[in-house]
Amino acid sequence: MSRLFYVFGNPINHSLSPVIHAMFAKETGLDIRYEKLCLEKEDFAGQLRELLAREAIAGANVTVPFKLDAAKFATTLTERAQRAGATNTLLFRAKDDVLGDNTDGIGFVRDVENRQGVDLTDARILLLGAGGAARGLIAALIEKTHAITVTNRTLEKAEALAHDFNLKSCSFSETDAPNWDIVINATSASLKGAVPPVGEKALSGAKLSYDLMYGAKPTVFLEKAQMLGSKKVADGLGMLIEQAAESFLLWNGVRPLTDAVYEALRRRI
Ligand code: NDP
């Protein structure tokens, strides 16, 4: 019988995860079913308990707005999920034994190092944004480098996040300097076609400018970075696929190959 997996979110219609996991299943020859399910925003735990009572679910991905609820639902958290303060992957090991993990940060690390070919060891990083995605990234990045500066529109949030991980923070107005190897846009500005007010010299001096958002065309942030002379630019499609591969590994004990999936999805979006 196929093992059953879900991705929970609200909204969830746009999710590429079922397509990605179907490709992983084909590539690894495993018999899995992976469905998307839109849950009501209230009472994540109650809805999940009801579902678990009805169906034998092996694991789940969890996306906006349920990543904190999922962390609470888990009975054990991996170290990186604890550091991130959020969970995007659940493994249902037994009744009352639910492992929570966060694969977003490691997905970013793998995409940057293996696909973009940029070494993160001791890299100087400027991180734009202080929301859930920024925290998830830091939770994995600090295993590679502590030279991370956090900046955010609401400066106090950048300061609090930097403080939690013993990192530096600064305001956007202090970013006009060629001081960083990698500039990461972990804000949601690109969703609205906006660019965070990062200094031009930060982008022109970067070996890599990376936007967590992805789409058919480069985001306005990536267009600006390219125009200003960033050596490389990349969007978050690779991160999305690599975080999915890490979840797949946790659930099935096999890490699927991701390059063909990346090429296929790049064509599809
Ligand atoms: P949150 O809502 O938690 O945080 C949003 C962040 O963006 C805040 O720091 C906010 O600043 C900032 N922001 C929003 N609008 C602007 C703007 N116009 N100018 C400057 N800053 C702005 O979102 P998440 O952290 O969950 O997600 C951030 C992005 O990352 C999203 O686009 C999401 O789709 C993407 N993502 C991609 C993944 C992938 O696999 N590729 C995985 C996870 C996320 P303030 O605090 O001042 O409000």
Side-chain angles (χ1 to χ4, degrees):
M1 204 175 73
S2 21
R3 296 180 82 211
L4 175 62
F5 299 89
Y6 274 103
V7 56
F8 304 124
N10 185 338
I12 197 63
N13 249 341
H14 65 283
S15 175
L16 290 173
S17 294
V19 179
I20 296 173
H21 282 276
M23 289 186 197
F24 288 165
K26 201 167 170 202
E27 193 264 315
T28 54
L30 295 179
D31 184 11
I32 70 162
R33 239 174 77 212
Y34 187 108
E35 312 274 347
K36 51 187 169 193
L37 188 63
C38 186
L39 296 181
E40 298 296 326
K41 288 188 176 154
E42 297 302 315
D43 195 19
F44 171 82
Q47 294 173 83
L48 183 49
R49 261 186 233 109
E50 242 176 58
L51 197 65
L52 285 165
R54 283 204 310 269
E55 294 183 300
I57 307 171
N61 280 133
V62 180
T63 186
V64 178
F66 300 122
K67 289 186 183 182
L68 295 181
D69 296 312
K72 284 194 204 123
F73 192 87
T75 53
T76 313
L77 290 174
T78 61
E79 206 180 311
R80 60 193 181 194
Q82 275 174 42
R83 278 203 298 258
T87 286
N88 76 333
T89 308
L90 292 170
L91 172 63
F92 303 107
R93 296 191 285 208
K95 195 172 183 294
D96 301 325
D97 181 7
V98 181
L99 180 68
D101 194 6
N102 188 313
T103 64
D104 283 334
I106 185 69
F108 172 83
V109 167
R110 281 189 164 267
D111 185 46
V112 168
E113 292 204 322
N114 302 348
R115 186 165 291 109
Q116 308 306 330
V118 175
D119 187 5
L120 286 165
T121 311
D122 297 328
R124 298 166 308 159
I125 292 176
L126 177 61
L127 181 61
L128 319 179
R135 182 173 285 271
L137 285 194
I138 292 176
L141 278 174
I142 52 167
E143 288 180 17
K144 294 279 177 178
T145 179
H146 274 83
I148 303 171
T149 308
V150 188
T151 186
N152 192 46
R153 184 173 60 181
T154 312
L155 183 58
E156 300 77 54
K157 282 204 221 162
E159 288 168 345
L161 182 56
H163 177 265
D164 286 352
F165 290 93
N166 204 15
L167 302 171
K168 283 189 210 148
S169 60
C170 72
S171 63
F172 273 114
S173 62
E174 293 169 284
T175 61
D176 200 18
N179 289 347
W180 296 282
D181 302 310
I182 301 171
V183 181
I184 306 168
N185 184 10
T187 74
S188 49
S190 298
L191 285 173
K192 297 193 186 110
V195 184
V198 58
E200 295 195 347
K201 290 191 187 118
L203 294 176
S204 58
K207 286 185 206 152
L208 172 68
S209 294
Y210 194 106
D211 197 331
L212 260 57
M213 163 112 172
Y214 54 84
K217 288 193 296 186
T219 64
V220 269
F221 168 78
L222 293 182
E223 276 177 351
K224 184 171 179 185
Q226 196 150 38
M227 192 191 73
L228 289 169
S230 276
K231 289 202 181 59
K232 241 174 193 287
V233 296
D235 72 8
L237 180 65
M239 170 177 169
L240 176 79
I241 293 167
E242 297 305 324
Q243 63 78 26
E246 288 296 319
S247 299
F248 194 93
L249 171 64
L250 181 82
W251 295 329
N252 301 304
V254 188
R255 191 172 209 286
L257 298 174
T258 54
D259 282 352
V261 176
Y262 180 82
E263 296 306 329
L265 282 190
R266 183 58 80 196
R267 284 193 301 272
R268 188 182 165 127
I269 62 170

